[in-house]
Amino acid sequence: MQTHPEKFQENVAKALANPQLKIAIRRTTDRAESKRAEAIRNFPNFENARTQGTRIKDHVVENLGYYLTQFERNATAKGAVVHWASDAEQARSIVIDICSRQKGRRVTRAKSMLGEEIGLAEALDEAEYDRVETDLAEHIIQLAGDPPSHIVWPSMHRTREDVVRLFRKHHRNPTDSEEITDLVDSARRELRSKFLTADIGITGANFLLADSGSVCTVTNEGNAELTTTPPDVHIVTAGIDILVPSMAHAMPLLRLLVRSATGGEITQYTTFHTGPKRQNDLDGPGEFHIVLVDNGRTRMLSQGMSEMLRCIRCGACLNHCVVYKHIGGHAYGGVYPGPMGSVLTPNLDGLERARKLAHACTLNGRCQEVCPVQIPLPKLLRALRASSWEKKYEPPVNRFAVAGFVMLAKSPRLFQLFASAGVLGMR
């Protein structure tokens, strides 16, 4: 996916000039915020669970090489083919190469932020595959030609009226109704035949279990199960940072993920995929491929950003961010918006391009307060600001202003003189 974080200020101006956008964003994020608060009140051991989740993620990051080796060994033993990709280009190439060996051209995809990160949708389109996004929100933005604006609700920037217009324009058998249930039925009619005739299914993963070589997907619609079961080939694209040692470690993180993301206790569909179809299985893919993607993650380890690798992609930091609630996800210009994106995008796209995102924060700490794995996002953002300063990425006017303030701060008399002049000026 092509990103433009360097256009942050221009994107913000456009977002603030669109009053409907703020209404659409607040409608979803405020509801998510209240539902999460209720879920936490009903889970008295939540703080202990956060501590446990943090320890699990830190342990894996500290022993990443060991668990990656274990996962590859166990997944291969179950019949999966494990591929390694150092960056987005290599990951795309591996997936397209797997697809090219198949006779069919229809590819169904379940929602995956890693897929967005590596630009997989665009690569499939360029290779002229019939790409079908199966998540309802992803289906909406595919019809609209939009990038996602939230990692959990990709089409939150679209109103119901927008969806009605899109479905009536693109669906073969659209509904005349504007009721949500009827719109969902329209999408179901449009997608069901494509599920059943797909040649390849591509998903992401929420967790990878090292001890069993299993892949865990979490959805509310069941589209991931229909994406992985009918096609003869299932391809998983996953970041190397989502490993957990075992099922016993995945379950605490699942409890944190769902409550933080949607305010529920558990999603409708939590599925563990382990290898291709076996001899006596009634259904499942004949081939099972797992593409493990680095794309800057090991570099983050070496640059003091290891705490960001705890992230379980729940979106809670977005839902509670005062900046995100005013400008939405597209303004950030990257795959990952909000506080998490302000840390991830400079690491993925380069700090020089994305340095403005590190300043797109009031440092009020709400993101850290609600993060289920206690990522110190304000600390990481301050570190990026400091790094941008040290590498002289900040514009000369900023450097001149700071140098002037330092000079004033070192001279109490001069500071008092300018402060007095400021008081007079304010009158």
Side-chain angles (χ1 to χ4, degrees):
M1 177 180 176
Q2 190 175 12
T3 60
H4 300 283
E6 67 275 12
K7 296 183 179 180
F8 177 69
Q9 288 175 306
E10 177 184 335
N11 295 339
V12 167
K14 291 180 181 177
L16 293 176
N18 181 358
Q20 288 299 118
L21 177 64
K22 185 176 179 180
I23 293 172
I25 295 167
R26 293 300 297 262
R27 183 184 298 159
T28 303
T29 56
D30 287 357
R31 179 173 171 77
E33 188 174 343
S34 62
K35 288 187 68 177
R36 176 198 173 273
E38 183 180 358
I40 302 313
R41 284 195 297 270
N42 295 329
F43 186 21
N45 293 320
F46 184 72
E47 287 305 317
N48 290 336
R50 289 179 79 199
T51 301
Q52 182 185 18
T54 301
R55 289 174 177 171
I56 291 170
K57 292 295 291 183
D58 284 348
H59 170 76
V60 171
V61 170
E62 290 166 6
N63 300 276
L64 192 56
Y66 170 80
Y67 286 113
L68 284 170
T69 302
Q70 185 185 31
F71 176 80
E72 180 185 31
R73 181 174 64 248
N74 292 325
T76 302
K78 299 293 173 56
V81 180
V82 178
H83 309 261
W84 298 86
S86 61
D87 56 25
E89 182 179 0
Q90 188 176 15
R92 293 193 301 269
S93 177
I94 290 169
V95 173
I96 297 299
D97 182 60
I98 296 169
C99 293
S100 68
R101 296 199 296 269
Q102 313 306 315
K103 294 181 180 179
R105 303 296 296 177
R106 174 163 287 170
V107 179
T108 50
R109 285 211 324 152
K111 183 166 76 68
S112 165
M113 290 310 301
L114 194 280
E116 296 292 335
E117 179 184 318
I118 64 174
L120 186 53
E122 293 81 358
L124 289 167
D125 291 345
E126 288 175 9
E128 298 184 342
Y129 284 93
D130 178 15
R131 174 176 61 91
V132 181
E133 298 295 337
T134 64
D135 177 87
L136 180 57
E138 290 284 347
H139 174 61
I140 291 168
I141 63 175
Q142 182 181 17
L143 297 181
D146 295 340
S149 61
H150 192 284
I151 67 170
V152 178
W153 300 285
S155 63
M156 65 148 47
H157 58 286
R158 287 284 176 177
T159 64
R160 184 192 305 193
E161 293 74 20
D162 291 334
V163 175
V164 169
R165 286 192 292 269
L166 287 167
F167 283 10
R168 289 178 180 172
K169 179 179 179 181
H170 295 282
H171 284 184
R172 290 167 295 179
N173 185 21
T175 177
D176 292 329
S177 170
E178 296 187 5
E179 294 298 319
I180 292 176
T181 53
D182 294 324
L183 293 171
V184 171
D185 285 340
S186 179
R188 183 180 292 114
R189 288 192 298 272
E190 184 73 14
L191 293 173
R192 183 54 60 97
S193 63
K194 296 178 180 179
F195 278 125
L196 300 177
T197 57
D199 306 293
I200 301 161
I202 303 178
T203 71
N206 291 90
F207 301 106
L208 303 174
L209 279 60
D211 70 336
S212 63
S214 300
V215 174
C216 174
T217 59
V218 179
T219 67
N220 276 314
E221 300 171 20
N223 60 299
E225 285 67 30
L226 283 171
T227 300
T228 62
T229 304
D232 191 52
V233 179
H234 178 193
I235 304 172
V236 178
T237 57
I240 60 174
D241 54 318
I242 62 171
L243 275 165
V244 293
S246 68
M247 180 74 77
H249 300 88
M251 294 311 296
L253 290 168
L254 283 167
R255 287 194 290 267
L256 290 169
L257 170 63
V258 179
R259 286 174 171 84
S260 300
T262 63
E265 293 185 5
I266 192 168
T267 55
Q268 302 294 329
Y269 301 90
T270 301
T271 306
F272 295 87
H273 310 267
T274 308
K277 179 170 63 176
R278 293 173 286 270
Q279 185 174 359
N280 296 322
D281 288 346
L282 297 177
D283 51 34
E287 294 182 27
F288 190 68
H289 297 267
I290 304 170
V291 184
L292 297 175
V293 184
D294 182 338
N295 201 35
R297 286 159 175 78
T298 54
R299 185 173 64 248
M300 291 171 67
L301 279 173
S302 66
Q303 294 180 349
M305 292 282 161
S306 62
E307 291 154 315
M308 194 63 220
L309 297 180
R310 294 178 192 164
C311 183
I312 59 175
R313 307 298 195 262
C314 68
C317 61
L318 281 67
N319 300 334
H320 292 75
C321 176
V322 294
V323 176
Y324 179 90
K325 287 189 175 191
H326 280 79
I327 65 175
H330 292 157
Y332 290 84
V335 173
Y336 300 104
M340 61 177 294
S342 295
V343 175
L344 282 171
T345 304
N347 283 283
L348 295 173
D349 290 8
L351 181 57
E352 186 172 9
R353 282 189 67 205
R355 65 167 188 82
K356 293 177 182 177
L357 300 188
H359 298 278
C361 178
T362 65
L363 300 180
N364 60 57
R366 291 198 78 197
C367 49
Q368 180 176 346
E369 181 183 331
V370 300
C371 176
V373 285
Q374 302 172 324
I375 300 173
L377 287 159
K379 185 191 83 170
L380 298 178
L381 287 167
R382 285 194 296 270
L384 287 171
R385 293 180 184 184
S387 179
S388 179
W389 183 269
E390 291 166 3
K391 294 177 180 179
K392 297 185 178 180
Y393 293 155
E394 299 300 316
V397 64
N398 289 12
R399 302 187 68 83
F400 178 80
V402 171
F405 178 79
V406 169
M407 182 182 69
L408 288 175
K410 288 181 177 179
S411 174
R413 288 185 178 179
L414 198 57
F415 188 91
Q416 186 176 12
L417 176 63
F418 272 80
S420 300
V423 171
L424 289 173
M426 284 188 290
R427 288 180 181 174

